[in-house]
Amino acid sequence: MFKHFSRSLSLVAIITVVCGAQSLRQAADDAGLLVGTAVRPHLFSESAYTQTLAHQYNMVEPEDAMKWPALRPNNSTYDFRQGDEVVRFAQAHRMKIRGHCLVWDHDNPDWLTKDHFTARQLSRILHEHITRVMTHYHGEVFAWDVINEATDENGKVRDSIWYNQPGIGLSEKGTAYIEQVFRWAHTADPHALLFYNEAEGEGLNRKSDAIYSMMKSFKRHGVPIDGVGLQMHVPAIDADIDSIAAEVFANIARLTALGLQVHITELDVPLTVEPDGAVRPSDLARQAEMYRRIVRACLNNAGCTAIQTWGFTDKYSWIGSHSHHTRGAALPFDQTYQPKAAYRALLEELSAGRSPRSDH
Ligand code: G3I
């Protein structure tokens, strides 16, 4: 009888953690923080996907639905259907929407990259795109990744169609074209928060130093920018988690000291996956620790206001298809939407809120 009673109690405990009063969303709401995930609107027909999403998150970001290939079938047409689906879902579930991304060198439609536009034409096309898209989502998208991954690993402005191939007329003038797109974005929607989003500049290195200098200069020159998005695609295996966490904390601290917000925008922690799909339990534990320490580094900086993962279930993640399925299992929920150790680490950290913890 006692055995039955204790078994029922532990069952109740499990149910409470998984789908009861406590959720990432509730913990984040209590901490005054946004917890989000990238989403794919064609999956909204899957009930486990939408139920987990609405229960666990207070923010969404379209993974691909607001990129150029989705929005711009050709030079004269806009197709907002996929993006609008994300907006409708978010509004129905009282979630904030981050927009991603207005300017990127990568994943642009053929008509844009292969038609040999002049710098003057590209400038007009980009200005019009930013204005039209931000006007369409005015009052719905609260924050935009205005420009994505504009810096290379040495901290130099990356060669790109928008910078110098042929660029929008500010070729070889360093960050001037980046300033220009922020000014266009601010005019298009003065109420939206505007972010510079970047990969591999989360810790302390040449790239993050360059981004910090650019931000300092933008603040000095009155460029309308509100924050930096740190993508945070961080493998856990063979990583020195202590030093990564300390560097991420320090980087967030110096950026927020400039009066900028930081959003963690694309957190995922890929693991080695065996051909049969198996991952090592010890790797899952290290992954959880990485999630815990990254979230803590954010919570320990008041200006870090959002934590977002790049998807939430291992069933759907960019990592598998981009690594011939040798890596994956990067997200807080497994392929059957069961919470992993990474989920529990996230929940514990968010529940502790911003109360200071000694290690970063
Ligand atoms: O839209 C076509 C679709 O028409 C076609 O049927 C399908 C067949 O494969 O491909 C679709 O395009 C794919 C698109 O995602 C939408 O699903 C592209 O091939 C694919 O390359 C694209 O990958 C995305 C990638 O960015 C490039 O845009 C990933 O889903 C997305 O996770 C990834 O996200 C980026 C962030 O935007 C920036 N930071 C890095 C991050 C990971 O690479």
Side-chain angles (χ1 to χ4, degrees):
M1 151 95 163
F2 178 73
K3 211 164 134 194
H4 274 287
F5 180 66
S6 83
R7 196 179 299 149
S8 337
L9 262 190
S10 42
L11 196 62
V12 168
I14 289 167
I15 290 169
T16 307
V17 170
V18 175
C19 58
Q22 194 54 284
S23 64
L24 302 179
R25 178 177 190 155
Q26 194 178 329
D29 283 347
D30 292 347
L33 188 90
L34 293 167
V35 65
T37 172
V39 293
R40 301 176 181 176
H42 67 272
L43 299 173
F44 289 169
S45 53
E46 189 177 322
S47 64
Y49 187 90
T50 47
Q51 278 169 19
T52 309
L53 183 56
H55 182 62
Q56 297 287 353
Y57 297 93
N58 59 17
M59 179 173 81
V60 288
E61 173 168 317
E63 184 168 344
D64 296 305
M66 290 185 189
K67 288 177 179 165
W68 280 70
L71 292 180
R72 303 299 304 277
N74 57 56
N75 195 357
S76 52
T77 315
Y78 287 77
D79 180 350
F80 290 110
R81 283 174 300 179
Q82 290 185 53
D84 290 356
E85 257 193 87
V86 175
V87 170
R88 273 196 301 276
F89 182 89
Q91 289 178 335
H93 297 92
R94 295 169 290 101
M95 300 161 121
K96 294 267 208 178
I97 305 150
R98 277 191 106 258
H100 173 86
C101 49
L102 296 165
V103 186
W104 193 15
D105 175 40
H106 189 63
D107 205 14
N108 284 314
D110 283 352
W111 67 259
L112 179 68
T113 54
K114 301 218 166 111
D115 276 4
H116 302 293
F117 291 111
T118 64
R120 184 189 285 263
Q121 286 171 321
L122 276 178
S123 172
R124 189 191 51 72
I125 290 169
L126 184 58
H127 187 187
E128 192 215 85
H129 179 86
I130 291 173
T131 306
R132 183 81 191 272
V133 173
M134 290 187 77
T135 304
H136 182 84
Y137 289 116
H138 170 84
E140 297 174 338
V141 168
F142 85 106
W144 278 100
D145 287 335
V146 175
I147 182 159
N148 190 43
E149 297 168 20
T151 313
D152 72 14
E153 62 279 13
N154 297 312
K156 295 245 169 3
V157 176
R158 196 187 282 282
D159 294 337
S160 79
I161 183 174
W162 304 120
Y163 174 41
N164 57 359
Q165 294 177 344
I168 57 168
L170 296 166
S171 172
E172 309 312 331
K173 293 203 166 98
T175 58
Y177 95 95
I178 303 176
E179 283 195 41
Q180 178 63 80
V181 295
F182 275 98
R183 293 191 194 282
W184 283 337
H186 181 64
T187 305
D189 184 354
H191 298 294
L193 296 177
L194 306 181
F195 279 73
Y196 176 83
N197 193 49
E198 190 54 91
E200 291 161 5
E202 292 88 0
L204 300 175
N205 54 34
R206 274 201 281 198
K207 192 174 197 176
S208 66
D209 288 349
I211 294 163
Y212 175 67
S213 300
M214 175 165 71
M215 292 304 129
K216 226 156 88 179
S217 148
F218 282 7
K219 291 301 278 185
R220 214 171 28 236
H221 295 116
V223 177
I225 183 162
D226 299 284
V228 174
L230 300 179
Q231 292 189 6
M232 214 73 76
H233 299 287
V234 278
I237 309 312
D238 300 328
D240 179 347
I241 296 179
D242 283 345
S243 71
I244 291 176
E247 286 192 20
V248 168
F249 174 84
N251 194 31
I252 296 176
R254 67 177 171 171
L255 290 168
T256 54
L258 296 174
L260 293 165
Q261 294 188 40
V262 166
H263 285 178
I264 290 175
T265 50
E266 306 185 11
L267 175 60
D268 53 23
V269 183
L271 303 180
T272 303
V273 178
E274 301 301 330
D276 65 356
V279 291
R280 282 190 290 271
S282 58
D283 287 354
L284 289 167
R286 280 183 68 72
Q287 177 182 59
E289 184 60 13
M290 184 70 98
Y291 268 95
R292 178 186 302 286
R293 301 293 296 283
I294 297 292
V295 171
R296 192 177 296 173
C298 175
L299 287 164
N300 279 348
N301 277 290
C304 185
T305 50
I307 295 166
Q308 177 171 263
T309 54
W310 206 235
F312 57 97
T313 164
D314 291 338
K315 189 170 180 187
Y316 305 111
S317 159
W318 71 286
I319 305 268
S321 55
H322 284 70
S323 68
H324 303 291
H325 300 279
T326 56
R327 297 189 311 140
L331 293 165
F333 294 87
D334 73 10
Q335 304 238 5
T336 63
Y337 295 92
Q338 293 308 302
K340 296 159 60 179
Y343 170 84
R344 290 184 284 280
L346 266 174
L347 183 57
E348 281 166 23
E349 285 303 314
L350 290 173
S351 302
R354 295 207 189 262
S355 58
R357 271 144 286 165
S358 54
D359 54 340
H360 300 308

